[in-house]
Amino acid sequence: MGVKRALAPIGRFFGGVWWFLNGTRRVVFTLLFWVILIALIWAAAHGGKPLQDKTTLVLDIRGEVVEQFSGSPRDQAIAQIKGEARAQTRLRDILRALDAAAKDDHIVQVALNLDQFGGATPAALHEIEAALTRFKASKKPVIAAGLAFDQRSYYLAAQATEVYIHPMGGVLIEGYGRYRNYYKDALDRVGITPNVLRVGTYKNAVEPYFANGPSPATLEAEGYLYDELWARYQTAIETARKLPKGSVQRAIDELPQRLKAAGGDPAKLTLAEKLVDGLKTEDEVEALLEKRGAKDEKRLRQINLGAYVAQLPPKLPKPEGQVGVIVAEGEIVDGSAGPGKIGGESMSRLIRQAREDDKVKAVVLRVNSPGGSAFASELVRRELELTRAVGKPVVVSMGGVAASGGYWISMSADEVIADASTITGSIGVFGMLPTGEKLLDKLSIHTGGYTTTWLANGYDPRRPLDPRMAQVVQSSIEHIYADFTGKAAQARKKSSQQIDAVGQGRVWTGSQALERGLVDRNGLLSDAIASAAKRAKLGDDPSVRYVEPDRSAFDRLLTSMGDAAAPSLRGMVMHALGGIPAVPAPLREAQVDITWLAEQAEAGPAGSKPPVRAIVHCLCTAP
């Protein structure tokens, strides 16, 4: 025992030494990891050779096209290393690359590679279409080639000078529309009562929780919306490919007969329908590009999108001032939020930053949001109102979706410009107070206690909703709807009754919204920037700066690399495994919907309880 006591201090000493050495080892390896990562990023972004003549710009659009990356650059880099990152491509990078390449004497052609394309809203597709048109005006060709094209990727491919597809590929154009899950019977079975309170005949975001199928109002609104989008899509494709009017619809209507006549060969049918110019394998496409461009050693002389954007020189600000572009993308939530969501407080700070910056003479708010918290939406709207009050013009550019809360934050603007296919409107309000008293009964769990007033525990998910609480919430929602329509009426110079007639929670396309006076005109982001510049007297070629939260030098380095870094580990692992089966879409939708329902029992703004939490959300996505 004495020996043990005597050796204990020595053991603690060596234990302390080991702890120190082990900790030091971890610090050293962590630092080494970051040094190597930075070196790789720097090499990827800055280590390329200068562009040579006859270089081909490979426009490899990977993943979903977004207005801004989700999460911080640091989070994205770490997720990329872990294999957890979801591929995304920024719309602004695509547009900048195409506009720069049109004037770049080293770029001889664009190869449009959409094999990893994950989709984009119709509004984003229109922005890229316009950029491709500007590029083609430079008399340089755009060659689109792929293993296969779906509806969204084909929209871009159709804009190319030439379109080729693999001999075993095809083009799948399906049309617009969707089926949703409806949970009433399932919730009844498990004992959950959604307790939906709303204003607006067409405010159908919460319909799946209290019905077993779409209402007539929902079918009416969605039919009007989707028919408009589908008509625009067909016209664009038929115009781009010089096809007779109605060709796309007839091809779908007669698909079984036409495919049988083509011997069941989708590629052969696609060629016969003149959707593509030829059938070519990947090596044949590369040989064609080499013939028109140049060849370095054994490969096509090329540069991809990320590397090209990374080597473009930064635009220097002009002395007369800048147009500040602020991206408002994602769900609107209370408090602060990172990229990919709109935090009421964090977005307000960004707008305030632009307002107080003497170099920023006008603001463009780029909105791509289905809405969310009414409280957070009002915070953002108010900051824009204050920006206009100090004499700085505010122009709103609506992207894929600017509905409900997305429309709310757009109301304090000198001009609202929407894409013709923007999903907007949805002027309506709802609240949800889900309770599970029947579920607890099934589990033989009971609840009891004492409160001094009924309001002290007026909403408890374990107990039936108190009718007085339901009345309070309904009154609050009706007040917020009146506030919503009143502010919209003031912004649009209409009466509240006129706004109510086109409100009621109904969504419209951008062109339909224009007809109803909800927006000022249809156009692109570039149109909004030009309008803001004109209002601020900045000339025809204004300096443009994206107003974003301050970032560290390391984060700026991560952002600057774009897609220049090597493919992710995830891609290599997925390739090695041969792919992992995806969760079926209906199950993913159910997971999202039920999780969202549960979240409605959480606290609202400033720590308030759910009963005062009004939601201006359309739960809609651009097709």
Side-chain angles (χ1 to χ4, degrees), residues 585-620:
L587 295 183
R588 288 200 307 273
E589 180 183 326
Q591 179 186 13
V592 171
D593 289 345
I594 298 302
T595 300
W596 185 85
L597 175 64
E599 288 173 350
Q600 301 319 301
E602 295 181 358
S608 62
K609 291 185 178 181
V612 299
R613 185 172 184 236
I615 305 167
V616 280
H617 198 308
C618 72
L619 289 185
C620 54

Side-chain angles (χ1 to χ4, degrees), residues 343-354:
E345 294 178 13
S346 51
M347 181 57 64
S348 295
R349 284 195 297 271
L350 269 188
I351 298 170
R352 203 175 305 126
Q353 177 184 327

Side-chain angles (χ1 to χ4, degrees), residues 197-200 203 427-431 477 480-481 484 614-616:
L197 304 155
R198 60 174 179 160
V199 178
K203 196 65 179 176
I427 299 173
V429 189
F430 69 87
I477 287 173
I480 292 173
Y481 180 72
F484 198 167
I615 305 167
V616 280

Side-chain angles (χ1 to χ4, degrees), residues 358-500:
D358 293 336
K359 296 178 183 177
V360 175
K361 304 300 183 182
V363 171
V364 170
L365 185 71
R366 175 67 170 180
V367 181
N368 186 30
S369 170
S373 164
F375 180 80
S377 299
E378 174 56 18
L379 292 181
V380 175
R381 187 206 66 81
R382 175 61 177 167
E383 287 297 329
L384 292 171
E385 185 175 58
L386 293 174
T387 302
R388 294 177 67 199
V390 300
K392 291 190 177 183
V394 174
V395 177
V396 166
S397 170
M398 291 182 169
V401 181
S404 209
Y407 189 82
W408 190 307
I409 66 175
S410 303
M411 292 190 295
S412 286
D414 294 284
E415 187 175 18
V416 179
I417 302 175
D419 185 85
S421 296
T422 295
I423 307 301
T424 189
S426 192
I427 299 173
V429 189
F430 69 87
M432 287 185 68
L433 304 172
T435 57
E437 68 278 5
K438 295 177 183 176
L439 172 60
L440 295 186
D441 285 343
K442 294 174 184 287
L443 299 174
S444 299
I445 298 174
H446 307 285
T447 303
Y450 172 82
T451 60
T452 56
T453 73
W454 72 268
L455 192 57
N457 208 40
Y459 172 64
D460 187 327
R462 299 169 298 178
R463 300 170 60 82
L465 182 64
D466 190 309
R468 293 168 293 184
M469 182 55 71
Q471 183 179 349
V472 167
V473 176
Q474 184 65 43
S475 296
S476 175
I477 287 173
E478 290 172 0
H479 165 72
I480 292 173
Y481 180 72
D483 190 30
F484 198 167
T485 54
K487 284 184 169 69
Q490 183 179 7
R492 305 309 307 164
K493 297 180 175 57
K494 295 180 178 292
S495 68
S496 295
Q497 292 76 17
Q498 288 175 309
I499 294 296
D500 181 61

Side-chain angles (χ1 to χ4, degrees), residues 92-174:
R92 74 180 86 161
D93 292 335
I94 299 172
L95 305 185
R96 187 182 177 201
L98 285 170
D99 288 339
K103 303 172 184 176
D104 192 335
D105 293 336
H106 298 298
I107 299 295
V108 68
Q109 61 188 343
V110 162
L112 191 55
N113 182 344
L114 301 169
D115 287 337
Q116 302 298 319
F117 179 56
T121 66
L125 293 176
H126 296 161
E127 295 278 356
I128 301 171
E129 173 191 3
L132 286 169
T133 300
R134 293 193 297 270
F135 177 84
K136 290 187 293 184
S138 67
K139 306 302 181 184
K140 301 176 185 180
V142 177
I143 293 87
L147 303 177
F149 296 118
D150 63 13
Q151 184 162 301
R152 295 180 182 184
S153 61
Y154 183 71
Y155 186 92
L156 294 181
Q159 314 308 318
T161 315
E162 300 168 45
V163 186
Y164 299 102
I165 202 164
H166 192 278
M168 292 188 70
V171 174
L172 180 61
I173 300 176
E174 304 170 281

Side-chain angles (χ1 to χ4, degrees), residues 41-42 44-46 69 73 90 93 96 305-312 551 553-565:
I41 293 170
W42 185 265
H46 302 282
F69 295 127
R90 279 194 312 192
D93 292 335
R96 187 182 177 201
L305 170 63
Y308 187 68
V309 171
Q311 58 88 51
L312 290 175
R551 298 170 297 162
F554 180 67
D555 282 351
R556 290 195 295 272
L557 175 61
L558 289 171
T559 301
S560 71
M561 79 174 185
D563 293 325

